[in-house]
Amino acid sequence: MRHRAKARQLSRTASHRKALLANLATSLIKHDRIVTTEAKAKELRPFAERLITLARRGDLHARRLVERRIKDRAAAQKLFKELGPRFASRPGGYTRILKLGHRAGDGAEVARIELLGE
């Protein structure tokens, strides 16, 4: 039974899912947009938006909370130096998910998740 289970399992263990979301968020921060499956994009959205909200705060505790999840120093620097100020006046909704159709190899639904402009 799935009672009160909110997150998608993505056919992974909890630790694998946590690492997957951290890696996807790192790629999203570095490149501003990534192409992945629709389910992964939908799981990534709240994870990444929480990180950007912490970057908007910009204090030491927020930086430590972000670096707990994002292991790449360059991505964390970009998050606090560029993305935090970029979304400073925006009260949430920093990402957009665009559905791209089906992947040729296995027919999986593919989507592009991207960071919005100012």
Side-chain angles (χ1 to χ4, degrees), residues 2 8 11 14-15 22 25-26 28 53 64 75 78 81-82 95-96 113:
R2 294 194 67 253
R8 292 170 184 82
S11 300
S15 59
T26 301
L28 180 64
T53 301
R64 286 179 175 162
K78 181 178 178 185
K81 292 270 197 281
E82 295 177 26
T95 59
R96 170 190 302 139
I113 182 167

Side-chain angles (χ1 to χ4, degrees), residues 8-21:
R8 292 170 184 82
Q9 289 186 357
L10 301 173
S11 300
R12 287 161 172 80
T13 61
S15 59
H16 189 179
R17 194 167 47 248
K18 182 179 167 186
L20 172 78
L21 288 174

Side-chain angles (χ1 to χ4, degrees), residues 24-86:
L24 285 172
T26 301
S27 295
L28 180 64
I29 291 165
K30 280 184 174 179
H31 304 292
D32 283 350
R33 67 180 54 160
I34 56 172
V35 175
T36 183
T37 63
E38 191 177 321
K40 288 178 191 173
K42 286 180 178 181
E43 275 305 302
L44 176 61
R45 171 182 264 171
F47 187 86
E49 292 197 1
R50 239 174 256 124
L51 294 177
I52 295 170
T53 301
L54 286 169
R56 283 179 56 199
R57 268 180 31 194
D59 58 349
L60 179 62
H61 184 57
R63 184 175 292 274
R64 286 179 175 162
L65 289 174
V66 166
E67 289 180 356
R68 184 186 296 176
R69 293 171 179 86
I70 301 290
K71 302 300 183 202
D72 188 353
R73 288 276 187 167
Q77 288 286 350
K78 181 178 178 185
L79 189 60
F80 279 90
K81 292 270 197 281
E82 295 177 26
L83 299 182
R86 179 165 131 192

